Amino acid sequence: MILTSSPAVLLNTITLFAQLALGLPTTSEPVHHKSAQAIGKLSHGDELHGAGVVWDKVVRQASVVGPIDPRDSFTNQNPDVPGGTYPRSSDADPSFTIPEETLRAAIYLPSGFTASTNRQVVLFVPGTGSYGHEAFASNLLKVITNAGAADAVWVNVPDAMLNDVQSNAEFIAYAISYVKALIGEDRDLNVIGWSQGNLATQWVFTYWPSTAPKVRQLISVSPDFHGTVLAQGLCAGNVGKVPKAGAPCPPSVLQQESSSNLISTLRAAGGGDAYVPTTSFWSSLSDEIVQPQAGLTASARIGDARNKGVTNVEVQTACALSPGGGQYGHSTLLTHPLVAALTLDALQNGGPASLGRIRSQMFGICQNVVASGLQLTDRTKTEGLIGTAGARLVAFPTKLLREPALTEYAT
């Protein structure tokens, strides 16, 4: 176990361990490359050179970024759906820039999904450095499956959500419209996100207005709606050093910096408030990736200017003076007993979740360390998501010195 009072130091240590485990160099000496095409193509590829693309020593490790489990594949064969979801679902939406076959292939539909009669469907959206199945398999996916609360599908964004958030958002926007068209009006679509998965989903609701009416609710775990002041600690040149700006980083990490253009633009456009009934969970002080995460300044706290219904839950406050009020990190919060109980409450009753509805059960819930139906081994596996994400972050080949430019629809 790593014990440190500084989340930034912990981030650097995680990344350093990932480098050593992969046999990667522990220092970075990036040089400017003459051709963005030689590095690889992101969306808005013509803007890569202007964003300061660098060729990192770890480019040869690009395969590390790929999925480990076939259920995290982004080359899936999915059926056609009725109605038009491409190049846009509504005239109010921007057109997709990514080919439809690529967007559709990133959606994973478990065997038997289309034949199910369960009214509730959950679309799981992973966080930075992860894919859909691996992010939720040992926590909330297991919880809702064991409870029979909903059928689950998930999106596996290529490059593990390390690419431009605006590109990641296209996969989510398409998945929402596609899955809703697939299940029809008789079934409800709910979205559960972890980390960046929530930020990108909120971006979707803001700029693809046709998506919010298709979603019953958003359940957010460890979101960074306001970004994080620790983002620079994840950049390659900062490993083992005091974090500073200007080090090469994957695009989405730069965009999640609390002072980034993407965060500022989203909030100016109203993205700091809910578009659908929303439940947001965070762990105060012990989130090693997103800070601040305490009280009224928590990055995970979302507003309700549109009166959609919001429940903000800081688990240390809700489960004070009990095991559930202890230390939970950015990923292990996914296994928290109250997070699971309120997720089931929201799925059963419609969002947002209500502490009042489960008040009589709160004492018993908070006496547990992990959710009912989960084991400590599930918490350990979930904790491992951070190390895996760190390895992918180090290995990601197309790092930038500055965040990507905003797309035309957001300017």
Side-chain angles (χ1 to χ4, degrees):
M1 178 178 293
I2 301 170
L3 297 177
T4 175
S5 59
S6 169
V9 171
L10 179 56
L11 288 177
N12 289 332
T13 304
I14 290 169
T15 310
L16 180 60
F17 282 178
Q19 287 178 304
L20 294 172
L22 290 167
L24 302 176
T26 55
T27 59
S28 177
E29 299 176 1
V31 296
H32 289 284
H33 201 270
K34 295 181 179 179
S35 170
Q37 295 300 319
I39 297 177
K41 186 178 181 181
L42 292 172
S43 65
H44 328 302
D46 56 332
E47 297 166 349
L48 286 178
H49 183 72
V53 178
V54 296
W55 183 265
D56 197 275
K57 285 184 176 182
V58 299
V59 70
R60 294 181 299 277
Q61 302 293 331
S63 61
V64 175
V65 178
I68 300 168
D69 190 297
R71 289 167 292 187
D72 290 314
S73 169
F74 45 79
T75 58
N76 304 294
Q77 299 295 317
N78 293 319
D80 292 334
V81 295
T85 58
Y86 194 92
R88 64 179 78 185
S89 294
S90 164
D91 290 340
D93 296 345
S95 295
F96 294 112
T97 63
I98 299 170
E100 183 173 22
E101 57 268 27
T102 303
L103 296 171
R104 185 178 299 187
I107 302 167
Y108 190 92
L109 305 175
S111 176
F113 168 74
T114 55
S116 174
T117 59
N118 196 319
R119 179 172 175 81
Q120 300 303 320
V121 175
V122 167
L123 172 66
F124 282 106
V125 183
T128 307
S130 67
Y131 295 96
H133 182 264
E134 69 179 10
F136 298 98
S138 298
N139 45 76
L140 291 177
L141 175 57
K142 181 178 287 189
V143 167
I144 70 166
T145 300
N146 289 346
D151 289 332
V153 301
W154 48 89
V155 60
N156 298 320
V157 177
D159 291 326
M161 300 286 282
L162 291 165
N163 216 326
D164 188 336
V165 171
Q166 299 165 107
S167 297
N168 300 341
E170 290 199 25
F171 286 92
I172 300 165
Y174 182 85
I176 288 172
S177 294
Y178 175 86
V179 174
K180 184 57 181 175
L182 187 65
I183 65 177
E185 293 303 317
D186 292 336
R187 304 177 74 187
D188 296 323
L189 178 60
N190 309 267
V191 177
I192 297 180
W194 173 51
S195 190
Q196 186 207 142
N198 299 292
L199 175 67
T201 298
Q202 197 68 3
W203 183 273
V204 168
F205 291 154
T206 303
Y207 293 107
W208 274 267
S210 73
T211 57
K214 300 170 184 175
V215 174
R216 185 189 188 210
Q217 65 183 313
L218 172 65
I219 298 172
S220 301
V221 183
S222 301
D224 57 345
F225 295 127
H226 301 249
T228 173
V229 299
L230 302 181
Q232 291 293 339
L234 292 165
C235 299
N238 287 331
V239 174
K241 304 175 184 177
V242 176
K244 61 182 180 180
C249 247
S252 70
V253 175
L254 292 172
Q255 290 168 314
Q256 289 175 87
E257 169 63 42
S258 58
S259 60
S260 73
N261 288 334
L262 184 131
I263 295 294
S264 299
T265 299
L266 177 63
R267 296 190 60 76
D273 291 282
Y275 289 90
V276 299
T278 301
T279 305
S280 182
F281 301 101
W282 69 90
S283 176
S284 64
L285 304 179
S286 50
D287 188 318
E288 72 276 32
I289 304 297
V290 177
Q291 287 295 333
Q293 284 287 55
L296 296 177
T297 65
S299 183
R301 183 177 290 277
I302 192 164
D304 194 22
R306 298 178 183 88
N307 296 315
K308 296 296 181 178
V310 163
T311 299
N312 286 302
V313 182
E314 184 178 280
V315 296
Q316 281 79 15
T317 299
C319 285
L321 304 177
S322 65
Q327 180 168 333
Y328 288 82
H330 191 67
S331 62
T332 52
L333 188 63
L334 288 161
T335 67
H336 194 283
L338 185 59
V339 171
L342 286 174
T343 295
L344 293 177
D345 171 79
L347 290 173
Q348 179 179 352
N349 297 287
S354 171
L355 286 164
R357 280 195 296 260
I358 66 167
R359 184 68 62 189
S360 63
Q361 308 167 48
M362 282 284 290
F363 179 80
I365 290 169
C366 291
Q367 293 307 303
N368 297 308
V369 176
V370 296
S372 177
L374 299 184
Q375 307 297 321
L376 289 178
T377 52
D378 292 312
R379 176 173 167 138
T380 300
K381 290 176 183 177
T382 299
E383 190 171 24
L385 291 170
I386 300 300
T388 302
R392 288 183 176 133
L393 189 150
V394 171
F396 186 74
T398 310
K399 296 184 177 71
L400 307 181
L401 297 176
R402 296 181 297 279
E403 68 175 290
L406 293 171
T407 53
E408 183 177 353
Y409 66 75
T411 57

